[in-house]
Amino acid sequence: MYKKYKIVIAEDNTLFLTFIKFKLEKEGFELYLAENGKQAIELIEKHNPDLILTDVMMDFISGLEVISYVRNTLKSQTPIIVFSASGQEEIVLKAFHLGANDFIGKPLSPNELVIRIKKLLK
Amino acid sequence: MTLDTFLFYLLSVFHYLFLGYSVLALLSYFFLAYVSLLECKNYLDKNSFINYTNILNSELSPSISIIAPAYNETLNIVENVRSLLSVHYVNFDVIIVNDGSKDDSLEKLIKTYDLEPVNYLLNNKIATKPLRAGVFKSKNPAFEKLIVIDKENGGKADALNVGLNASKSDYVACIDVDCLLVEDALQIMIKPFLEEVNFQVIASGGVIRIANSCTIKNGKLLDINFPDKTIVKLQTLEYLRSFLLGRMAWSRLNGLLVISGAFGIFKKDIALEVGGYDTKTVGEDMEIVVRMRRYMEEQKIPYKVGFIPDPLCWTEAPESYKILISQRNRWTRGTIETLKIHKKIGFNYKYRILGLLSFPYWLFFERLAPIVELLGIIYFIFLVIYIDLITFYVLGFFLAAYLASVIYSLFAIFIEEYTFHQYKKKGEGFKLVLAAFLEPFILHPVTFYAALKGNYDYYFNKKKKWGVMVRKGLGEK
Amino acid sequence: MSILNQLLNFTEDTPIIIAIIWKLVSIFIISILLLIGILKIVRFNMRFNEKNDKKLQIFYEKLLIEYLLIEKENPEKIIEHQKIIDKISKTLKRKRYRKILIKTFHKTKGQIAGDASSNVDELFVKLGLTEYSKRKLRKNNNWVNTAVAIRDLKTFNIKDAEKEVSKFINSKSEEVRQEVFFYFIAVFGFDGLSFLDKLTEPITLWTRIRILESLKKIELQEFPDPKNWLESENEYVVILALELVATYNLFDNLEVLTALLSHKNEKVRLKCIELFKEFYIPNGKEVLINSFYQRTLKEQVCIFKLLEDQATKEDEKFILKNINNSNFEIKVSALKILNSINRSKFLEFKFIFSNQENTKIIQHIEYS
């Protein structure tokens, strides 16, 4: 039976979110969208996704806190991919220290994102 | 000539001089306001084409040493150092100069940052008080940018000079250790130096913003609030006026005489060349800028002193009248001393704008202002007591002066709204305007008194030095 | 008292002053009320505009997403695209709206790369926005507008604007020049650097940093020969060329580089010495030692930093001559070098020097 993978995306840029949602749903993923870290955490707890995508820079609860929550509080090994605009290398490094698996810089190509997602889900 | 006629002529001369002074002061303030507006607009336009992140990644970015003298700062020193170390820049180090503190500042630093004494060669180009416990660096690579120097007490200027001797960078950022620097501060402040082509930029100053009532956590500015206490509210307004209307204009005219001691960047080799900070004056921040400018004029090298209006440095303003008076007293004495040390450049066409515009302005409208004001008040009181009808005239004069001051403050608020708009919350606009109306009645008498006391202390009380500053700690509210 | 009477007459005779003062008071009061009024309006306007702009942005974002998400294979593609183009075109008469639309496009390009990005460029052209930018360039009334126009042409990769943009290579405005440089680099890659041939104005360190950073983003291809630029009349072009040589390892022109060590401009010479220090270029060391005493202090310090890495035993005589140089940095460098090429000779100096400072330096080097 064909399994539908669940992905939670946390991103405060609505245009990007809508665009990525469309592209990923076309690839057969089931998506849950969050516009900030707090919503992301709620969705993660509710749906127990197979992969998490998060932007590192968001208001209030940042992407880093989401990663920390998943790795330290939920003690989950769900693969996490972070994205960030350029000039935020320090924060991306911190994300890796906290347990992120991969990183992709913005502007990003949706096709590349799909490839990386599929790789991590294997 | 009879005594009466003589007295009459004397009084009328004074009368016209005083009026002339007031008119001149008024015109120059409004001229400066106009120039500031132009400069602010120009600055904002240029800002839309800037991307500072490039500086972060480039190997060509110049090296900067942040020098922060510390004396008995045990309450906050660890947090302040942590905040300085987290500045976003690629090529910098932080030099903390412990100026013979009698408390446990050094021990706290050694413990928190894992420091060990190192063999460090200091270029003793500027004579300073000797070292005490020596130079320390951290064993932990996460703190490799930190250098702590422990020396015998010598005052802020002396501590800064040790920092100048120790720095291996091209530029030095001299700051007060308890100032909160915004993360991007170095990237933004270094920009004027990167734009020099046919002239050299020798120093760059910034705006000091008031941090009282703001939320600060872990050395980061989280929330900006207009201060609660009236005396601090009024100081906020005063700072806006003097930075956004005053220094912006002087920077455009290339006549800037002072860079705040709380945050300024200098070209290290020129600062060393002129001999570093003067330890014998209380106004060392103004004095070194004048000396550096003077040196460049004498060497006939084209130069500029830059100024960045962005809110980059936040500090605690005095909350008690006693400390405020002590601070303003010191500023007054600093101005008097600096002008006296460099009196040669005054009205000297060889020093161009420095001598023909900045110096005279500072002399007449800053240094002499409290004296003229005092004489004016005495004169007016004399007139009112002896001639009733004059009351109408005197009242009109004071009212005009008050209203002019309010307009000037409103103009400053207007520029702030138009540029950086830091006080966005509802009701803060009203509070700012109210402050403009209150300031001449509440803050001005205090600063006026402090300035007079400063003059008195300068001439009759030579032993006085830095005065009192009690640390309360940023972000403790 | 007669004096008081005189004063009374004095003031009565000069009611002009009083009149002026009270007129001023009334002007001030009116100005204050006006200023407060303006302040309120400005604050109100700002909030209002912020809200409106946000709504407009969301409107444009929706349409843009629709446009970008129409499938390539969709047979109705062209019709659907045209529908959206028409909807947007209706709003483009107003400058503010165009500004927000372009801002939305900018933002999108910052988020999404690949096909979607080129689609945004296409849309920019189809909406006729290129014409607006070119018009701004023709008018050239205000450096801000010119710079914004060039920046837009760069962001959306408008190749056919090359001629119009070239006219501004030597603009007096620093910001306009920068945007021209970035336009050429973004649209034409390394070949775009040809603007350096025509440049007569200075290039600040700020601009150079940005040029080098934007070049990093281009995929590695053949880098053009910098020979012309190294020999340029414009010393800033030479400095940039030296930085390019360092970044991209372009060492085909060793004679030209060595000749630059004697360039008439000190900044060029300094940059060149730094280059020789980093890359161990042959002959450089000898040329520098031979001309050492004719050079400025800054150059001399730099040369010693070079020698710290490159000095050999043959240079010992020269080093010894400078052991007691009046400049602190050179002195320290010389001692360090001596320590590494002839340690025993270095240790002899411990006993020769009576100067306390020199002894300190020797101690420091010995134990580091």
Side-chain angles (χ1 to χ4, degrees):
Chain A
M1 196 182 77
Y2 178 64
K3 172 180 180 182
K4 237 189 178 203
Y5 286 106
K6 289 191 265 188
I7 302 183
V8 165
I9 310 183
E11 165 65 63
D12 56 359
N13 182 317
T14 40
L15 185 141
F16 181 77
L17 204 53
T18 319
F19 191 80
I20 291 294
K21 169 175 185 265
F22 184 85
K23 290 287 179 187
L24 291 179
E25 278 180 344
K26 248 186 77 184
E27 294 288 327
F29 296 112
E30 193 175 312
L31 290 181
Y32 299 97
L33 308 181
E35 287 185 15
N36 58 51
K38 186 156 171 283
Q39 278 181 20
I41 291 178
E42 283 168 12
L43 290 171
I44 294 172
E45 293 198 312
K46 189 164 170 207
H47 298 281
N48 196 10
D50 302 293
L51 184 119
I52 301 172
L53 295 173
T54 173
D55 191 323
V56 275
M57 290 287 276
M58 292 185 287
D59 296 331
F60 308 120
I61 303 189
S62 73
L64 292 180
E65 298 197 37
V66 173
I67 304 174
S68 168
Y69 186 81
V70 170
R71 293 282 182 256
N72 302 332
T73 317
L74 293 180
K75 304 234 187 283
S76 154
Q77 290 307 311
T78 316
I80 302 179
I81 303 182
V82 296
F83 15 82
S84 84
S86 74
Q88 292 170 355
E89 283 81 23
E90 264 178 56
I91 304 190
V92 171
L93 274 175
K94 283 196 197 146
F96 273 103
H97 280 160
L98 286 170
N101 300 86
D102 198 1
F103 140 79
I104 180 168
K106 283 186 182 172
L108 60 81
S109 153
N111 295 333
E112 196 183 335
L113 182 61
V114 169
I115 295 176
R116 298 216 195 178
I117 292 176
K118 288 194 173 156
K119 200 160 154 216
L120 275 178
L121 285 175
K122 281 228 171 58
Chain B
M1 195 189 293
T2 65
L3 184 65
D4 278 342
T5 340
F6 176 71
L7 272 172
F8 169 68
Y9 278 123
L10 190 67
L11 278 172
S12 27
V13 162
F14 180 83
H15 189 90
Y16 282 111
L17 272 177
F18 186 71
L19 267 168
Y21 180 90
S22 311
V23 168
L24 215 60
L26 192 70
L27 286 174
S28 63
Y29 288 148
F30 282 98
F31 171 69
L32 287 177
Y34 171 69
V35 175
S36 281
L37 191 61
L38 291 178
E39 182 67 2
C40 275
K41 178 161 196 306
N42 194 15
Y43 183 80
L44 285 179
D45 283 338
K46 287 193 174 195
N47 238 12
S48 48
F49 294 98
I50 298 178
N51 178 356
Y52 289 104
T53 51
N54 285 323
I55 299 195
L56 281 182
N57 300 325
S58 172
E59 317 83 52
L60 291 178
S61 302
S63 47
I64 308 179
S65 286
I66 301 182
I67 305 178
Y71 182 71
N72 289 350
E73 299 278 348
T74 182
L75 199 59
N76 294 313
I77 186 108
V78 167
E79 274 316 300
N80 292 336
V81 170
R82 192 192 312 278
S83 160
L84 289 176
L85 286 172
S86 65
V87 154
H88 278 180
Y89 194 73
V90 62
N91 207 355
F92 78 106
D93 53 17
V94 176
I95 304 179
I96 306 288
V97 184
N98 190 23
D99 194 35
S101 298
K102 296 205 191 72
D103 61 12
D104 62 346
S105 307
L106 183 63
E107 286 70 29
K108 270 193 177 164
L109 285 174
I110 293 179
K111 187 156 168 259
T112 317
Y113 294 103
D114 219 1
L115 301 178
E116 60 179 354
V118 293
N119 175 14
Y120 194 94
L121 189 61
L122 274 174
N123 174 3
N124 284 318
K125 182 141 186 185
I126 309 174
T128 64
K129 287 257 160 65
L131 298 188
R132 200 171 55 170
V135 182
F136 294 81
K137 288 189 85 165
S138 177
K139 295 183 222 160
N140 185 341
F143 303 124
E144 63 169 353
K145 295 203 195 296
L146 178 63
I147 303 174
V148 176
I149 304 181
D150 186 82
K151 68 180 267 294
E152 304 275 346
N153 179 266
K156 183 173 174 197
D158 194 64
L160 286 168
N161 284 339
V162 167
L164 283 174
N165 278 342
S167 163
K168 298 198 162 80
S169 309
D170 295 325
Y171 296 92
V172 292
C174 298
I175 76 168
D176 277 349
V177 72
D178 65 336
C179 263
L180 180 71
L181 279 191
V182 162
E183 289 174 338
D184 302 334
L186 285 186
Q187 302 163 18
I188 299 178
M189 280 292 269
I190 197 73
K191 179 167 179 285
F193 297 95
L194 300 179
E195 290 179 322
E196 54 183 37
V197 277
N198 301 319
F199 54 88
Q200 271 203 58
V201 178
I202 58 175
S204 174
V207 166
I208 310 299
R209 288 278 184 153
I210 292 187
N212 306 45
S213 301
C214 294
T215 319
I216 296 176
K217 208 174 145 215
N218 290 336
K220 284 210 195 315
L221 188 68
L222 291 178
D223 195 24
I224 299 172
N225 295 309
F226 195 57
D228 287 327
K229 267 192 146 194
T230 311
I231 189 74
V232 186
K233 277 193 183 115
L234 301 179
Q235 285 180 74
T236 310
L237 182 66
E238 189 197 11
Y239 277 41
L240 281 180
R241 249 193 356 236
S242 92
F243 283 107
L244 292 181
L245 286 188
R247 297 196 194 177
M248 262 316 249
W250 282 112
S251 153
R252 188 183 178 91
L253 298 168
N254 201 14
L256 196 56
L257 272 192
V258 55
I259 284 182
S260 177
F263 185 39
I265 298 195
F266 302 88
K267 227 188 201 147
K268 192 192 78 176
D269 53 4
I270 301 188
L272 280 178
E273 194 63 37
V274 302
Y277 287 86
D278 185 343
T279 48
K280 292 194 265 346
T281 170
V282 289
E284 76 280 331
D285 49 2
M286 180 174 174
E287 200 278 328
I288 195 176
V289 176
V290 177
R291 192 154 22 101
M292 283 171 78
R293 296 194 65 139
R294 189 175 163 175
Y295 171 78
M296 300 301 280
E297 294 283 353
E298 286 166 1
Q299 298 288 315
K300 300 218 189 308
I301 308 175
Y303 73 100
K304 236 177 113 77
V305 173
F307 182 79
I308 303 280
D310 295 60
L312 299 174
C313 176
W314 297 75
T315 191
E316 185 193 327
E319 289 198 344
S320 88
Y321 286 93
K322 180 167 166 209
I323 299 178
L324 176 63
I325 292 176
S326 166
Q327 183 197 58
R328 298 313 170 100
N329 181 330
R330 179 168 39 85
W331 289 5
T332 306
R333 282 181 288 129
T335 307
I336 302 177
E337 280 171 4
T338 305
L339 290 176
K340 181 155 181 231
I341 293 174
H342 294 284
K343 59 178 183 253
K344 178 169 170 220
I345 71 178
F347 305 101
N348 188 337
Y349 73 89
K350 271 197 223 138
Y351 292 95
R352 304 184 304 150
I353 298 212
L354 184 64
L356 297 175
L357 195 62
S358 307
F359 191 97
Y361 176 90
W362 234 266
L363 179 65
F364 289 123
F365 299 121
E366 298 273 340
R367 187 255 179 281
L368 287 179
I371 313 247
V372 171
E373 197 175 334
L374 183 66
L375 290 175
I377 291 179
I378 295 177
Y379 174 69
F380 277 132
I381 293 179
F382 167 76
L383 285 187
V384 167
I385 291 179
Y386 284 101
I387 312 172
D388 291 317
L389 275 168
I390 297 291
T391 320
F392 192 61
Y393 167 55
V394 168
L395 196 65
F397 189 86
F398 274 110
L399 198 57
Y402 171 70
L403 291 172
S405 156
V406 172
I407 291 185
Y408 205 62
S409 298
L410 288 177
F411 201 68
I413 298 175
F414 174 72
I415 292 195
E416 153 70 5
E417 290 294 286
Y418 181 63
T419 56
F420 301 104
H421 200 47
Q422 296 281 288
Y423 297 112
K424 294 195 228 277
K425 306 197 175 146
K426 241 173 172 270
E428 287 185 336
F430 171 73
K431 287 189 196 156
L432 276 165
V433 171
L434 187 63
F437 281 98
L438 287 179
E439 195 234 344
F441 291 125
I442 303 185
L443 185 62
H444 182 73
V446 176
T447 53
F448 176 55
Y449 166 72
L452 288 177
K453 193 150 188 302
N455 274 282
Y456 175 82
D457 282 338
Y458 176 78
Y459 289 109
F460 303 112
N461 197 355
K462 293 279 186 179
K463 276 186 282 184
K464 199 164 179 151
K465 269 295 191 171
W466 260 69
V468 171
M469 181 69 183
V470 171
R471 286 273 165 262
K472 202 153 152 216
L474 274 176
E476 242 190 35
K477 309 222 171 68
Chain C
M1 287 195 268
S2 59
I3 177 170
L4 290 170
N5 278 334
Q6 274 184 315
L7 267 171
L8 207 68
N9 292 337
F10 166 72
T11 49
E12 276 188 338
D13 285 324
T14 56
I16 322 165
I17 296 186
I18 298 187
I20 293 180
I21 288 190
W22 281 97
K23 283 209 178 76
L24 248 129
V25 168
S26 23
I27 295 179
F28 284 164
I29 293 184
I30 298 178
S31 318
I32 289 180
L33 292 171
L34 258 163
L35 268 172
I36 295 184
I38 295 179
L39 210 69
K40 267 244 121 176
I41 295 179
V42 163
R43 261 177 102 93
F44 178 72
N45 251 1
M46 272 193 191
R47 255 184 252 141
F48 180 73
N49 278 338
E50 246 183 88
K51 252 193 272 170
N52 254 15
D53 288 352
K54 193 86 207 189
K55 269 197 235 154
L56 200 58
Q57 198 174 324
I58 295 179
F59 169 72
Y60 282 137
E61 274 182 10
K62 262 179 84 193
L63 286 175
L64 184 59
I65 289 275
E66 260 187 67
Y67 185 94
L68 293 175
L69 291 180
I70 296 176
E71 305 280 329
K72 268 201 257 197
E73 306 83 33
N74 185 338
E76 305 284 298
K77 179 172 111 163
I78 300 190
I79 304 177
E80 295 292 320
H81 274 183
Q82 196 55 44
K83 271 200 215 154
I84 298 178
I85 292 179
D86 292 335
K87 264 199 213 153
I88 300 183
S89 298
K90 278 196 218 142
T91 67
L92 290 184
K93 291 284 182 188
R94 296 180 65 178
K95 187 164 177 216
R96 181 183 203 97
Y97 286 35
R98 290 201 298 272
K99 218 167 143 193
I100 303 218
L101 178 66
I102 295 183
K103 188 166 154 206
T104 312
F105 282 9
H106 261 276
K107 246 180 95 182
T108 312
K109 289 202 70 159
Q111 302 277 324
I112 308 171
D115 286 339
S117 189
S118 353
N119 285 342
V120 176
D121 295 345
E122 256 178 49
L123 187 54
F124 181 85
V125 176
K126 285 197 190 146
L127 284 169
L129 291 170
T130 329
E131 263 320 298
Y132 283 108
S133 294
K134 288 193 183 171
R135 202 184 301 170
K136 272 195 219 170
L137 289 185
R138 279 195 290 269
K139 264 208 256 175
N140 192 19
N141 52 3
N142 169 338
W143 69 263
V144 182
N145 289 339
T146 313
V148 168
I150 301 179
R151 184 175 60 184
D152 290 340
L153 292 169
K154 168 198 77 177
T155 311
F156 302 107
N157 293 311
I158 310 295
K159 286 202 163 76
D160 65 6
E162 184 190 348
K163 253 217 195 128
E164 284 95 333
V165 175
S166 312
K167 296 200 189 118
F168 294 94
I169 289 183
N170 287 308
S171 163
K172 289 295 170 192
S173 157
E174 174 83 34
E175 279 72 24
V176 172
R177 285 203 307 273
Q178 274 187 32
E179 295 301 327
V180 172
F181 302 163
F182 303 136
Y183 171 83
F184 278 103
I185 295 175
V187 177
F188 300 106
F190 289 146
D191 292 330
L193 286 172
S194 56
F195 67 78
L196 288 174
D197 300 330
K198 306 192 201 122
L199 185 65
T200 56
E201 292 288 315
I203 314 179
T204 61
L205 174 55
W206 175 260
T207 309
R208 296 202 312 268
I209 289 180
R210 291 191 66 187
I211 292 179
L212 289 168
E213 291 299 308
S214 57
L215 285 173
K216 276 192 200 162
K217 296 201 194 114
I218 303 178
E219 275 172 34
L220 224 48
Q221 324 151 340
E222 183 81 30
F223 201 93
D225 185 3
K227 185 158 185 287
N228 282 339
W229 303 326
L230 287 169
E231 297 178 325
S232 168
E233 283 291 308
N234 182 338
E235 69 248 24
Y236 296 97
V237 173
V238 179
I239 294 178
L240 179 61
L242 286 169
E243 285 164 357
L244 290 171
V245 164
T247 316
Y248 294 96
N249 294 343
L250 310 165
F251 293 107
D252 296 322
N253 298 295
L254 289 180
E255 319 82 47
V256 178
L257 289 176
T258 314
L260 284 177
L261 285 172
S262 319
H263 193 274
K264 56 186 172 175
N265 185 299
E266 189 197 4
K267 284 191 258 198
V268 173
R269 296 198 301 265
L270 278 170
K271 196 91 214 185
C272 204
I273 299 176
E274 275 171 41
L275 185 72
F276 276 71
K277 166 174 178 286
E278 254 188 81
F279 290 96
Y280 283 78
I281 301 174
N283 276 334
K285 186 174 70 167
E286 287 71 27
V287 170
L288 290 172
I289 291 184
N290 287 337
S291 55
F292 185 81
Y293 296 103
Q294 287 85 40
R295 293 187 182 266
T296 66
L297 183 58
K298 273 205 184 128
E299 290 173 74
Q300 291 179 337
V301 172
C302 212
I303 294 176
F304 263 87
K305 287 268 172 304
L306 182 153
L307 289 172
E308 278 183 34
D309 296 329
Q310 299 182 23
T312 56
K313 276 206 173 280
E314 290 98 53
D315 307 313
E316 189 176 318
K317 217 169 141 210
F318 173 74
I319 301 292
L320 284 172
K321 273 203 232 163
N322 284 288
I323 285 284
N324 220 355
N325 191 302
S326 52
N327 179 289
F328 181 81
E329 286 178 61
I330 295 184
K331 194 161 33 180
V332 174
S333 263
L335 285 166
K336 272 197 197 150
I337 299 170
L338 188 62
N339 184 29
S340 62
I341 60 178
N342 191 341
R343 186 161 171 105
S344 45
K345 195 80 185 250
F346 168 77
L347 288 172
E348 280 175 33
F349 276 94
K350 251 168 99 170
F351 308 106
I352 298 185
F353 280 141
S354 51
N355 183 322
Q356 200 200 35
E357 179 182 88
N358 291 353
T359 326
K360 253 203 250 166
I361 301 177
I362 294 190
Q363 269 180 353
H364 169 82
I365 298 178
E366 195 181 345
Y367 294 113
S368 52

PDB file of all heavy atoms in Angstrom, chain B residues 22 46 222:
ATOM      1  N   SER B  22      20.507  86.230  21.507  1.00  0.00           N
ATOM      2  CA  SER B  22      19.329  85.356  21.441  1.00  0.00           C
ATOM      3  C   SER B  22      18.898  85.116  20.015  1.00  0.00           C
ATOM      4  O   SER B  22      18.586  83.991  19.626  1.00  0.00           O
ATOM      5  CB  SER B  22      18.156  85.969  22.200  1.00  0.00           C
ATOM      6  OG  SER B  22      18.573  86.378  23.474  1.00  0.00           O
ATOM      7  N   LYS B  46      19.961  56.610   1.260  1.00  0.00           N
ATOM      8  CA  LYS B  46      21.106  55.744   1.010  1.00  0.00           C
ATOM      9  C   LYS B  46      20.916  54.386   1.656  1.00  0.00           C
ATOM     10  O   LYS B  46      21.378  53.371   1.141  1.00  0.00           O
ATOM     11  CB  LYS B  46      22.381  56.386   1.579  1.00  0.00           C
ATOM     12  CG  LYS B  46      22.840  57.541   0.764  1.00  0.00           C
ATOM     13  CD  LYS B  46      24.238  57.936   1.158  1.00  0.00           C
ATOM     14  CE  LYS B  46      24.706  59.009   0.220  1.00  0.00           C
ATOM     15  NZ  LYS B  46      26.126  59.220   0.274  1.00  0.00           N
ATOM     16  N   LEU B 222      14.848  43.597  23.903  1.00  0.00           N
ATOM     17  CA  LEU B 222      13.662  42.904  23.426  1.00  0.00           C
ATOM     18  C   LEU B 222      12.502  43.841  23.129  1.00  0.00           C
ATOM     19  O   LEU B 222      11.740  43.641  22.216  1.00  0.00           O
ATOM     20  CB  LEU B 222      13.206  41.886  24.485  1.00  0.00           C
ATOM     21  CG  LEU B 222      14.148  40.697  24.661  1.00  0.00           C
ATOM     22  CD1 LEU B 222      13.639  39.793  25.763  1.00  0.00           C
ATOM     23  CD2 LEU B 222      14.244  39.911  23.366  1.00  0.00           C
TER      24      LEU B 222
END
